[in-house]
C-alpha cells in the first residue's frame, strides 16, 4: 500500500489541533486500557489498518494481554471482558455504526449501568476521536507501522 498524501504536512495547523485534542483524552476519566480497547474496536469496524496496528501496540505496551487483544473482535462471545468493558464496547460500536433511528435506549441504559455520566461523556469523545483518525488514515491510506519509531511503538515487541 502506498500512502496517498501526508495530511500532517498538508494541514499542519489542523493536525496539531487534532493531536492536542487527542492528547487531552489521555487525561480523561477513561483509563488507558479501556481507551485502547475502544480504539481497537472502532478501528476494526472501520477497517483502519494504521490505527489498529498503532492501538494494539499501545495496548501491549500498557500491559494488555495478547489473548484479550485477539478477543476484541469477538468481545460478545468472550469471557475475558468485564461488564464495564462490554458496555464501553457496545457504546463504541453503536456510535461508530450510527444505526438508523439513533442509539437504542437499551445500549444507553447498559452503559449508564456501568459508567458515570462523566465517564460516558469522556468515552464518547474517545470514540469521536478514533473515528476521525480512522477516516483520515483510511482516506489517505496511511501505511501501518510507519509511525512506530515516532510514537515509541517499536517497544511493543510486535514487529
Amino acid at each position: 500500500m502506498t500512502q496517498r498524501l501526508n495530511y500532517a504536512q498538508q494541514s499542519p495547523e489542523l493536525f496539531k489541533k487534532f493531536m492536542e485534542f487527542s492528547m487531552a483524552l489521555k487525561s480523561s476519566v477513561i483509563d488507558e486500557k479501556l481507551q485502547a480497547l475502544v480504539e481497537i474496536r472502532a478501528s476494526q469496524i472501520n477497517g483502519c489498518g494504521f490505527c489498529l496496528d498503532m492501538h494494539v501496540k499501545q495496548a501491549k505496551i500498557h500491559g494488555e494481554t495478547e489473548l484479550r487483544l485477539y478477543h476484541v473482535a469477538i468481545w460478545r462471545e468472550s469471557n475475558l471482558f468485564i461488564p464495564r468493558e462490554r458496555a464501553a464496547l457496545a457504546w463504541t460500536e453503536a456510535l461508530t455504526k450510527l444505526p438508523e433511528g439513533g442509539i437504542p435506549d437499551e445500549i444507553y441504559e447498559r452503559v449508564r449501568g456501568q459508567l458515570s455520566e462523566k465517564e460516558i461523556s469522556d468515552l464518547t469523545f474517545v470514540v469521536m476521536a478514533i473515528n476521525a483518525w480512522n477516516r483520515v488514515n483510511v482516506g489517505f491510506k496511511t501505511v501501518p507501522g510507519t509511525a512506530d519509531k515516532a510514537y515509541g511503538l517499536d517497544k511493543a515487541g510486535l514487529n
Side-chain angles (χ1 to χ4, degrees), residues 2-159:
T2 303
Q3 186 167 336
R4 291 179 170 153
L5 64 82
N6 185 323
Y7 56 85
Q9 288 177 351
Q10 296 301 313
S11 305
E13 284 302 312
L14 295 174
F15 175 75
K16 181 182 175 205
K17 294 290 185 191
F18 197 57
M19 279 297 288
E20 288 171 6
F21 171 74
S22 295
M23 295 311 292
L25 294 171
K26 298 300 178 196
S27 63
S28 79
V29 296
I30 305 301
D31 66 81
E32 286 180 330
K33 281 183 120 175
L34 185 55
Q35 280 191 37
L37 295 176
V38 164
E39 291 161 340
I40 290 165
R41 186 62 190 129
S43 298
Q44 289 172 335
I45 293 166
N46 291 322
C48 185
F50 179 83
C51 292
L52 181 59
D53 179 79
M54 172 184 281
H55 295 296
V56 163
K57 289 172 181 172
Q58 285 176 336
K60 184 82 168 119
I61 288 168
H62 288 59
E64 189 57 80
T65 67
E66 286 190 46
L67 186 57
R68 278 175 41 99
L69 293 173
Y70 300 145
H71 279 225
V72 172
I74 58 158
W75 66 268
R76 284 181 181 81
E77 293 81 26
S78 176
N79 63 359
L80 300 179
F81 301 98
I82 62 174
R84 173 183 172 78
E85 293 167 332
R86 292 175 176 285
L89 290 166
W91 189 245
T92 299
E93 288 186 0
L95 289 175
T96 298
K97 295 176 184 178
L98 282 178
E100 210 171 292
I103 307 299
D105 290 339
E106 180 272 323
I107 292 174
Y108 180 71
E109 292 303 323
R110 183 178 345 158
V111 173
R112 261 188 56 188
Q114 296 296 323
L115 286 84
S116 71
E117 288 185 354
K118 169 72 169 143
E119 290 171 321
I120 295 168
S121 181
D122 282 9
L123 176 62
T124 300
F125 279 100
V126 171
V127 175
M128 287 168 42
I130 190 57
N131 275 285
W133 285 117
N134 288 167
R135 278 146 182 77
V136 74
N137 286 302
V138 168
F140 297 128
K141 293 187 173 183
T142 309
V143 179
T146 54
D148 282 7
K149 280 230 183 276
Y151 294 121
L153 301 175
D154 47 338
K155 294 178 183 89
L158 293 175
N159 297 335

